[in-house]
Structure formats: structure tokens, C-alpha cells
Amino acid sequence: MSFSLAERNDTIIALATPQGIGAIAVIRLSGAKAIDLCNEVFHGKDLLKQDSHTIHFGTIRDEEKIIDEVLVSLFIAPKSFTKENVVEISTHGSSYIINQVIKLFLKKGARLAKPGEFTQRAFLNGQFDLAQAEAVADLIHADTESSHEAALNQMRGGFSTEIQELREKLIHFASMIELELDFGEEDVEFASRTELKELVERLLRVVEELILSFDLGNVIKNGVPTVIAGKPNAGKSTLLNALLKEEKAIVSDIAGTTRDFIEDEININGVIFRFIDTAGLRETQDTIEAIGVTRTQEKMKTASLILYLFDLGDTDLVDINRDVNKLENLGVPFVKVANKTDKADPKLLATLKKEHPDALFISAKNQENLEALRAKLIELVNLDKFKTGNTVVTNIRHYDGLIKTRDSLLDILKGLEDQVTNDFVAMDIRRSLHYLGEITGEITTDDLLANIFSKFCIGK
């Protein structure tokens, strides 16, 4: 999705509130003629004579036919989200009214906005950079306190500020080295190689920290895929139901009841955990159940976290140790959860607490010690770094740009160490600047913008 120059000068219109019947709906227009077009169909005050950031009551009419009584909010350029003239019309939430109002403006010369076109115009008009624009979409979809805070921090420039500071320092050295190239025959040095090396090393430390923050950022934005694994009838479905506080999974005394996956989400202290209740871990002759067990093993390999659940009333230390060894070989963080404490043999319980002191002992059926399990899950996610106010990378595009930036910075260091000529050093610096510029949108292509804004909802 790309826009021609003519399209960028159009006045666009879209419903800014969700589809469906509600008390009110907000229809948004943006463009040079937004206020003029609205004034043609609005009966109330003359909108052309009103101040920015004012609200006016009146009616929208198609010739003499009243469509609805409305409130019209004016935002006169450049004091608006898009830095263009913007009008927001609050109507009643009837789908008929919404359609009639939009059709009326289309007849007057507006056109329907494409996905993300309002935000794209804000970016193109210098309201904010590309990383901030992407944060608008993240903010809309934020469903936890942590994801909301991360998106808001990015939208207000927290991430962009760090990137911009890095870029400005590199630009200074790039210009000095480019100047040296102009005086190549005179053997002058405008940029100290020692200072350049120190700067690049400082930049690498910052970039590495941002790269490392992505694991946490991905958790904040997308949640933690968490597999509940264990032998059949260990109580996996009961635990899932207890955590979700609803009967989501089928609970039965018959081993192997769960043949596939049951997924749901739970918000624990602002972090979304996407729980996956799987078929049991065991050898089976049942063809269908065997497929479920195979899929369980595949799911465990790709999970961010595993809850290994075992039945204290129907297991022994040998089985537990064997399963723990298998899980350790997967390399995925896991929590050992001993279920059905009311059925445990006291000797086994004492041995387990001695050999596996990190295990949690619960009763999913009686909902005992589940708070300790929730606390353990949050501990493993480790939000402490995020809560200190540090910038956290949540966007895969930014992460990819930072990886490329790091590689380019390492090339600069290697070039300095190998004492390569100035033109090669300058080339590596330009590459680093390019990748940093792609993150904030100082360097863009139509394809990049089309890919980003096509994922936005219409009306934003």
C-alpha cells in the first residue's frame, strides 16, 4: 500500500470507533478541505470562523434531510494528530447513520481512508518518527499494564531518543572522515581513530542492551507461551481450569482424555501467559493419542516456559527424575509442579522436598498453593528491568535493525584494528547510520511504509 502525491493531498474519511451499534460513533476527516466539506453539510455555527480545538453542536444534513444531531470537533492545521485540518464528528452509533454520513462526505469529494493512513500522514508530516508511529498501533492493542506502559514510552519517544542520540554521534565522525577523504593527498586527520573506537564501543554497549531487552519486550507485547506438560491424568486440565477460573478443559479420571491442545490466556500481574494444555507425556498404542503426544513434544520445544506437572499419588522418584532430565535437555525454562498433595505418600513427599527443593507443591483440585505458582511464573519472566524505566524493544523490525547495526559497528572496529583505508571505514559508518535511520524512519522506502501501515486498522 503506497500513496501517490495526489492521494496525499486528498481529504480522507473513516470511522474511528469500532464497528457495531453503540451509544456514539466518531467519524474522522483529515485533509486541507476537511473543515470546508464539513461546513457544507453542517447546520449550526459557521465552522470556518471557529477556533481550533472547539466543539460545536448541530445537525448533519443531506440537502434538507436531517441525518443526525452531532457534535463536531475542530482541529486546525498544524495543531492536529495529522498536522492537517481534522474534523471529528460524533454521531449516534446507528450503522445506518454512520453509513449515511460517510456516503454524504464521499459525494462531496472525500475518499475512504486506507488502513493506517491517518497515522502515516502524521509521520509524513513530521508529527513523530516511524518508531513512534508503530507504537500507536501497539498502544491500541495493549491489553495489560506492562504492554500499555511499553507502547506509551515508545510513542512518547523513549526508544527514538536513544536511537537518535546514537545516530547523531556517528554522523559527526562520518562527516569528519568524509572530510579527510577530500584531503586524501595531504595526510590529515580530522577524526581521532582512538575517539572513534571509544564511541563505537559505547554505541555497541547500548545497542547490545537494547537487543537483549527484546526477549522481555516480546513477552510484554505478545505474552508467554506456556506448555502444561506431564503424564496423563496428572491434573493438567484441572490446573488449567483452576488458573483460568473456568471449566475450559475436560476433566476425567480416564488417562489420555486430552488428545490435542487447549489454549487460553491469563493475566498475572500485568503479564499475559498463553497456557497450552497438552496430551500427556507417555508411550501409547492409541494412534490418535500418539499423535497428541508427538505434538506435545513439538510444542514443548518452541515454548518459552514449561510447567512440568506430576501426580504425587501416582508416580515415583525414578519417573520424575527421568522426565526432569528430558526437560533439562530441551533447554527451555521449566517449573516442577507436584500436584495432588492430599494423595502424596509422606516418604515420597519428604524425599522430593530434599532432592527437588525448587519444586512447588499444589493441589489443583482444591486450589491450594496456586498463588505461589503464579508468583513463580512472574519471577521467571523478570519484569524488574522493565520497571526501572529502561527502554525495552518490543518490535521485531526494530530488533532486526539493531542486529544489523551491531554487525556494522563490529565491522567498524575490525576496520580500525586492521587499519583499513578511510573509504572503507566511512562505508561501514554509513551502513550503521542507514540501519539506525531505518528504525526511526529517517530512511524509508514505499514498500517499508506500505508494510507497516497496512497492519493498522482503518480510521487510525
Side-chain angles (χ1 to χ4, degrees):
M1 178 190 65
S2 58
F3 302 99
S4 65
L5 183 60
E7 285 182 312
R8 291 177 184 177
N9 292 329
D10 289 343
T11 295
I12 56 176
I13 185 170
L15 177 66
T17 45
Q19 293 281 354
I21 297 174
I24 63 169
V26 177
I27 297 167
R28 174 182 289 157
L29 293 99
S30 181
K33 297 181 179 178
I35 298 174
D36 298 80
L37 293 181
C38 191
N39 205 43
E40 290 180 23
V41 299
F42 179 73
H43 286 246
K45 293 181 180 179
D46 183 349
L47 298 178
L48 299 177
K49 297 179 180 179
Q50 307 309 312
D51 294 331
S52 183
H53 292 70
T54 56
I55 301 176
H56 309 280
F57 174 77
T59 58
I60 294 288
R61 303 188 187 194
D62 186 355
E63 296 180 352
E64 294 303 314
K65 179 185 176 183
I66 297 177
I67 297 177
D68 197 17
E69 292 183 339
V70 301
L71 290 174
V72 172
S73 304
L74 298 181
F75 305 91
I76 299 174
K79 298 178 180 179
S80 73
F81 176 69
T82 62
K83 287 200 167 185
E84 302 172 336
N85 287 335
V86 171
V87 175
E88 292 185 351
I89 305 168
S90 299
T91 72
H92 290 92
S94 155
S95 58
Y96 172 79
I97 291 172
I98 295 166
N99 290 333
Q100 290 301 305
V101 171
I102 291 177
K103 282 171 62 178
L104 177 59
F105 278 100
L106 295 178
K107 187 168 65 175
K108 292 291 182 180
R111 71 164 171 82
L112 286 173
K114 298 177 183 180
E117 191 168 1
F118 290 95
T119 308
Q120 181 165 356
R121 287 191 175 194
F123 161 68
L124 293 171
N125 293 329
Q127 181 73 284
F128 35 59
D129 67 30
L130 194 55
Q132 290 172 289
E134 289 170 292
V136 172
D138 290 344
L139 190 63
I140 291 170
H141 293 101
D143 53 7
T144 67
E145 180 182 357
S146 299
S147 58
H148 167 266
E149 189 174 339
L152 192 61
N153 178 52
Q154 184 175 318
M155 193 178 75
R156 299 174 87 173
F159 178 73
S160 300
T161 299
E162 289 204 46
I163 295 299
Q164 187 58 39
E165 288 175 355
L166 299 180
R167 206 163 180 271
E168 286 176 0
K169 291 173 181 176
L170 263 184
I171 286 172
H172 170 71
F173 271 95
S175 62
M176 292 297 99
I177 290 177
E178 296 283 356
L179 191 59
E180 287 180 14
L181 290 173
D182 292 338
F183 292 86
E185 296 179 1
E186 301 181 28
D187 193 28
V188 294
E189 184 179 277
F190 295 108
S192 165
R193 297 303 184 266
T194 301
E195 290 181 11
L196 176 58
K197 182 175 182 289
E198 290 174 354
L199 171 64
V200 171
E201 288 173 342
R202 289 204 306 272
L203 298 184
L204 270 171
R205 287 194 291 271
V206 175
V207 169
E208 284 285 5
E209 187 173 342
L210 289 171
I211 289 171
L212 290 173
S213 76
F214 179 70
D215 285 342
L216 175 59
N218 196 41
V219 163
I220 291 169
K221 183 176 180 179
N222 299 313
V224 186
T226 306
V227 167
I228 305 177
K231 290 182 178 179
N233 217 26
K236 298 186 299 297
S237 298
T238 303
L239 176 59
L240 179 63
N241 289 339
L243 290 170
L244 296 172
K245 298 181 180 178
E246 63 174 302
E247 294 296 316
K248 183 75 175 182
I250 300 170
V251 177
S252 169
D253 291 332
I254 302 171
T257 305
T258 304
R259 298 298 180 95
D260 211 324
F261 305 116
I262 297 173
E263 295 194 28
D264 216 322
E265 298 180 347
I266 183 172
N267 184 336
I268 303 177
N269 292 2
V271 177
I272 294 294
F273 288 85
R274 292 190 282 112
F275 284 107
I276 306 164
D277 178 19
T278 63
L281 293 176
R282 70 167 182 175
E283 299 296 326
T284 177
Q285 300 302 314
D286 185 301
T287 303
I288 302 300
E289 188 184 349
I291 294 172
V293 172
T294 300
R295 289 181 178 176
T296 294
Q297 293 168 345
E298 292 171 355
K299 280 282 185 181
M300 288 167 61
K301 291 177 183 176
T302 58
S304 295
L305 184 62
I306 297 171
L307 292 189
Y308 166 54
L309 193 70
F310 52 91
D311 181 353
L312 287 170
D314 185 30
T315 192
D316 56 42
L317 193 59
V318 173
D319 286 344
I320 294 169
N321 288 337
R322 183 179 61 246
D323 288 342
V324 167
N325 287 334
K326 288 180 181 178
L327 289 169
E328 287 175 342
N329 290 333
L330 282 178
V332 178
F334 66 95
V335 182
K336 289 172 272 190
V337 184
N339 190 27
K340 304 183 184 180
T341 50
D342 52 317
K343 297 182 179 180
D345 177 74
K347 291 183 180 179
L348 175 62
L349 205 57
T351 304
L352 277 172
K353 288 181 178 180
K354 182 179 180 181
E355 294 199 17
H356 296 279
D358 56 338
L360 292 172
F361 295 82
I362 70 165
S363 171
K365 182 178 180 180
N366 300 324
Q367 300 195 16
E368 292 176 2
N369 213 27
L370 294 186
E371 280 307 312
L373 176 56
R374 293 186 179 97
K376 183 65 176 179
L377 293 175
I378 289 296
E379 177 188 327
L380 289 171
V381 172
N382 187 14
L383 284 179
D384 290 343
K385 179 180 177 182
F386 175 65
K387 290 179 179 177
T388 62
N390 292 346
T391 300
V392 176
V393 178
T394 62
N395 187 303
I396 186 65
R397 189 183 71 83
H398 303 164
Y399 174 76
D400 183 59
L402 289 166
I403 292 289
K404 291 175 179 176
T405 300
R406 179 191 63 188
D407 293 344
S408 299
L409 291 172
L410 289 172
D411 286 341
I412 296 172
L413 288 180
K414 188 175 187 307
L416 292 174
E417 184 179 332
D418 294 343
Q419 297 183 336
V420 299
T421 56
N422 285 349
D423 50 346
F424 284 106
V425 175
M427 183 176 65
D428 290 333
I429 292 177
R430 283 195 295 268
R431 276 200 304 129
S432 300
L433 290 171
H434 175 86
Y435 293 131
L436 287 172
E438 278 190 336
I439 294 173
T440 57
E442 288 163 283
I443 297 171
T444 61
T445 63
D446 286 343
D447 288 342
L448 174 64
L449 295 180
N451 181 55
I452 291 171
F453 289 105
S454 64
K455 298 173 184 175
F456 280 53
C457 55
I458 295 174
K460 195 56 187 170

